[in-house]
Amino acid sequence: MTPYELLGIDPTADDKTIRRAYLELIKIYSPDREPERFKEIANAYESVKDEKRRLAFYLFNKDIPINHPFEALSLQMKKTGKRKPPDFTTLKELLRNV
Amino acid sequence: MSKGKNKGRESSAHQKTFFSSEIIEEQARDDLEKKKFRQAKDGFKELCKLDKEKYLPKLLECYHGLANQMIQNGQLSDAAQIIDNIKALTGDKDEGALDISIAMKKKDYDAVARIYAGLLSRGKDLADIQELPRVADALVIAFREFPRLKSVCPEIDEELCAVQHALEDISAERYEEAWLKAKKIAVHSLFSHWKLFIKGLIAFYKKEDQRALEALGRISSNTLLRDIAQPYMALLNSKTIDRNTIHESFVKKMCIVAGHPDLVSILPRADSLWKAGRYYDSYRHIRDTMKAFPEESSDIPGTLTRFYFNSIHHLPGKAAMKYLDDLLKNDTVASPEYNLEKVLICKAESLFFENKLVDDDEDDSDCAQVWECFLETYRKVFGSNNKLESLVYFRLGSLFAIEKPQEPPLFPWLPVRKNKDLLRSAHLAEHYFNKSISMNKNNKDAYLGLLQVYEKTHNQSKANKLLDRLIPLFPDDSAILTRAGISCVERKSYIKGMKYLEQAAQRDPLDSVIKTHLGFSYLKAARVYFEKKQVEQGRNIFEKALKNGVSDAHDFNRGCAYIYARWAVLELKNENKDAANEKLQLAREKAEKLLPLLYFTQLISRCYELPVTSLQKLNAEVDREWSLPPTPENAVALLMIYSYINTLGFAWLKAEMKRIVQYALDASDKPCSRDDALGIVSFALSDKQAHKLGDVYIKKMLEKDRDDPQFHYLEYQLQMTNRLRLPGKEGVEELNRILHLAEKRNNRELVRDLRKRIKALEEILKVEDTLNYGGASDTGGTNANLNMDMEILEELFEEMQRTMGGRGRRKR
């Protein structure tokens, strides 16, 4: 996930919005309770906390969010948290196409 | 069945008629036992002619076996023929277990369900049915009613309905109801794995990922459900699924399960092309079929955009190059229009070239050119952005300001001169840092980069001018203040430097680098005050130095014991004997070991030019401590003190060297830690006078641990510095042996160093081999050979120049 996705903000957000989102998140994921998650959030904040860093992230970041195209589906599912079962006809079709 | 085969079989049956029925029966039973059903069938067929009642069951067994074998091998029409024969022999026209197997093989699950329900309704024996769980799955996924089943097998019908209704509830997001229905399914039921599936599905949609993975992962592999559960598991964690099993139809199912049916015609194909290594085709497919691609958003097109443009930097060399080439041949790049895709391609190209510049020694101008091209494209699409341009130019400046890697010398016996041409390209670095500053006057990093270029190229006047410009621009910046402080200290303006460093330390109190420089500036400033006879100011500075001090026994600038020792010496020099004794006493209290402290004080006294008469007591004390049994721990401390003072370059220190080496040799029979031995041997390597010392400690450590790669390598290095010719193939072999040991111990740093050295040595041996070959061909020498020899000689000369610190750059 990108730092923006981790912090749950838009890439066009300003410094204040980013800081607010960061502070909200570290209240939930404190270093004592969830140190790994806290580290991720802190790193994400560090990489986009001001305009210069955001530009540098835009220009020079080479990370790949996924390793194969199909993984875009699971990443999107994780990001949005949306999971809706298909209607019964589609589910039946899915099960029959084994 | 082929004609030839029939012929063969007829003749074999014919032959059997010549034997007695006992022999035929024995042979047929043996064939049946060995699962040679075709031969057994022929035998029992003959025997049936003699006694049908007796041999018919065996003949049927053969037919069953043969039919099953054919179904397994996919010979479905042949199997159907055999089944017809069985039906003709038994007179039972109803479909049975073998028909189920054929339908299962044909993936005709409707037929499987129909035949199975029929068998259940007729109360037939179901023991013959293979893959029973899969057959039960077919019953569920048929999604139809079997009216007779309800009356004949009500419990099966009830469970079947429970599974189907639970699935319907899941579709309607009625998870509690779904589970209430699934709970009714018994543990040993035909549908028990459906209970797991329903549990997994409910957990999946309720976002209880771990529980979902656990339930779906427990579904047995001999069911159809296992395949159905896989896309759900892949969505939760793609690592749970073998990548080879993920093909187009699998990804299609994932799209549906994830709620993206619109991607069914896009993603599966793109994934399969990517998997096949057709990276650009995969990109093209997405680009042509997905309207929103490329896009800088956080949804699926945005994720795929980052994936396709950043993958270039993660693919292996040739594949990445080809992918980038194909992208650059793209019609978007060729068209005069400017759009996001063009910006992204240019950015990917720039970053790719940047890597090549660092790794493969690419041309400097190429890299700068592609970044300029990116900026031009960006400007045309999004308008100008000075801050962004400043960052790009800063990046270029930093790339050209990278220090060239220093490879280990090939000729260790030649003195290595310091390389003046230290940076990749000092003039380009200066140019781009200046360009970055012109785009954004507040780009502090660009100023600091430029300052570093001036410092590394020893352009002190430009560095000082830049610092003077910087301090008013960034009066509160600790990095700038630190640089200004260091620069002043280097210019011997210790007091001014100390003030800058104090300001920097105030702004960044946790920065140890600032504290180290500050400590050094305190020592220098205090000495200046004492030498000017401004004792009180000097004392104040020492007080500050102590506040900035540490208790580390090996920090000669900030270690409190050593600060007190210096203070004592300067007090003594100003003839304040009481103050000097008091400070020396304090130094003793802070010191971990007495001998290193006294020795340090003795050497510092000589550096500060104290009269010999005032050193008599101290010298006597040092001699007394020196006469005590020596220890390797003290030896390391003494060598470190010697190395520290030696940077000042006093000629009289040479005599001290002999004294310390002797001390360390005398301590060699005492127990010694690995770290202490490493310290001693590393020192020994740096000075020819101490080689014997190195030898002794290496032997000592290898006796303790004969496979220690670090000491084997030090031994090799020591041998190399003692000889006057290049190591041959035996050198490569020895290094490879040490490399093997280092790999076993997972000593990464050593492995890296050894690999570099082996590579360099192999290169020079290749040149040597070629030269030998050239010499042999001199008898029939041609101009071509002569030219080749000249080239090799030039290369060798260039290599020697480089080793000596010459300016010649080796082109790869």
Side-chain angles (χ1 to χ4, degrees), chain A residues 2 5 51-52 58 62-63 66 68-71 74 79 81 83-86 88 92 95-97, chain B residues 110 141-142 171 173 204 207 209 235 238 243 253 271 296 298 303 306 310 314 347 355 387 445:
Chain A
T2 65
E5 288 160 0
E51 194 194 0
K52 191 177 146 193
Y58 169 76
K62 294 180 198 167
D63 294 346
I66 47 178
H68 308 279
F70 83 89
E71 287 174 350
S74 19
K79 278 194 283 192
R83 286 181 206 180
K84 195 177 168 3
F88 195 42
K92 280 199 275 190
L95 294 173
R96 291 169 70 90
N97 282 334
Chain B
D110 266 346
I141 62 176
S171 272
E173 297 181 61
F204 178 88
K207 294 172 198 164
D209 293 358
L235 278 171
S238 59
R243 177 67 178 115
K253 282 177 202 158
D271 188 73
E296 290 176 318
S298 59
T303 302
R306 282 198 305 285
N310 282 356
H314 299 266
K347 190 170 84 173
N355 271 353
K387 285 184 181 168
D445 294 335

Side-chain angles (χ1 to χ4, degrees), chain B residues 1-2 5-6 8-10 12-13 16 27-28 30-46 58-59 61-71 73 75 78-79 81-82 85:
Chain B
M1 214 176 280
S2 74
K5 272 185 184 176
N6 271 337
R9 229 167 270 136
E10 270 167 23
S12 130
K16 280 176 188 167
Q27 179 66 42
D30 188 47
D31 284 340
L32 185 60
E33 205 171 300
K34 288 177 181 165
K35 297 191 174 177
K36 293 177 178 174
F37 298 114
R38 196 182 293 278
Q39 288 90 327
K41 176 207 72 177
D42 290 343
F44 283 117
K45 215 171 175 180
E46 284 299 314
K58 283 288 165 195
L59 181 60
E61 198 182 329
C62 294
Y63 273 131
H64 270 103
L66 189 57
N68 273 324
Q69 230 171 33
M70 285 172 161
I71 293 167
N73 296 337
Q75 298 163 282
D78 290 346
Q81 212 176 328
I82 300 282
N85 287 347

Side-chain angles (χ1 to χ4, degrees), chain B residues 550-595:
Chain B
V550 288
S551 56
D552 186 356
H554 297 307
D555 191 332
F556 304 119
N557 287 334
R558 286 178 67 203
C560 287
Y562 301 107
I563 295 172
Y564 276 123
R566 287 173 196 261
W567 192 348
V569 172
L570 288 174
E571 290 285 4
L572 201 61
K573 200 176 175 187
N574 277 272
E575 291 169 6
N576 304 320
K577 277 190 183 171
D578 291 343
N581 285 335
E582 185 204 335
K583 299 306 167 205
L584 201 56
Q585 185 51 37
L586 286 166
R588 284 168 200 264
E589 283 166 21
K590 295 274 178 193
E592 280 176 23
K593 298 244 167 213
L594 195 55
L595 177 61

Side-chain angles (χ1 to χ4, degrees), chain A residues 1 4 6 15 21-22 26 31 43 63-66 76 91 96:
Chain A
M1 279 204 230
Y4 303 106
L6 263 168
D15 293 5
Y22 165 68
I26 57 166
N43 286 343
D63 294 346
I64 41 169
I66 47 178
Q76 189 64 15
L91 179 65
R96 291 169 70 90

Side-chain angles (χ1 to χ4, degrees), chain A residues 15 18 45-56:
Chain A
D15 293 5
I18 296 172
Y45 176 64
E46 275 303 309
S47 54
V48 293
K49 71 179 182 187
D50 54 42
E51 194 194 0
K52 191 177 146 193
R53 283 165 209 247
R54 287 195 290 279
L55 278 176

Side-chain angles (χ1 to χ4, degrees), chain B residues 152-328:
Chain B
V152 183
C153 306
E155 67 287 354
I156 291 183
D157 184 65
E158 204 177 303
E159 286 185 338
L160 178 62
C161 287
V163 171
Q164 289 172 340
H165 290 147
L167 291 170
E168 199 173 351
D169 282 337
I170 289 175
S171 272
E173 297 181 61
R174 296 188 299 261
Y175 303 124
E176 303 306 319
E177 286 97 319
W179 183 236
L180 280 174
K181 281 166 192 150
K183 252 166 82 174
K184 288 178 192 163
I185 300 164
V187 180
H188 299 295
S189 150
L190 262 180
F191 306 102
S192 58
H193 51 290
W194 280 90
K195 193 174 174 180
L196 278 176
F197 181 65
I198 290 164
K199 190 179 176 185
L201 239 57
I202 294 172
F204 178 88
Y205 288 115
K206 285 172 97 179
K207 294 172 198 164
E208 295 164 357
D209 293 358
Q210 203 46 46
R211 186 182 274 202
L213 274 173
E214 221 174 274
L216 297 173
R218 277 173 58 201
I219 295 172
S220 162
S221 57
N222 61 357
T223 63
L224 290 178
L225 261 187
R226 176 76 175 178
D227 296 339
I228 299 171
Q230 300 256 313
Y232 289 92
M233 293 172 73
L235 278 171
L236 291 174
N237 183 0
S238 59
K239 284 176 192 157
T240 54
I241 310 293
D242 176 9
R243 177 67 178 115
N244 293 324
T245 62
I246 299 177
H247 36 75
E248 281 196 49
S249 62
F250 189 97
V251 182
K252 272 183 192 166
K253 282 177 202 158
M254 281 181 76
C255 291
I256 293 165
V257 170
H260 292 283
D262 51 316
L263 294 179
V264 163
S265 60
I266 304 171
L267 207 55
R269 178 82 188 128
D271 188 73
S272 125
L273 287 167
W274 189 268
K275 191 177 156 190
R278 292 167 61 186
Y279 307 117
Y280 180 68
D281 291 339
S282 174
Y283 168 84
R284 263 318 275 234
H285 179 73
I286 289 276
R287 180 180 173 265
D288 294 344
T289 51
M290 189 179 263
K291 272 186 188 170
F293 181 89
E295 186 185 77
E296 290 176 318
S297 65
S298 59
D299 52 14
I300 289 182
T303 302
L304 289 171
T305 301
R306 282 198 305 285
F307 169 72
Y308 279 103
F309 287 99
N310 282 356
S311 286
I312 295 165
H313 316 297
H314 299 266
L315 288 173
K318 274 186 185 171
M321 196 70 194
K322 181 167 184 326
Y323 181 30
L324 180 66
D325 275 349
D326 290 340
L327 277 176
L328 291 167

Side-chain angles (χ1 to χ4, degrees), chain B residues 482 486 489 501 512-522 558:
Chain B
T482 309
I486 295 168
V489 171
L501 288 165
S512 63
V513 177
I514 299 177
K515 287 192 168 182
T516 304
H517 286 292
L518 181 60
F520 184 69
S521 72
Y522 281 140
R558 286 178 67 203

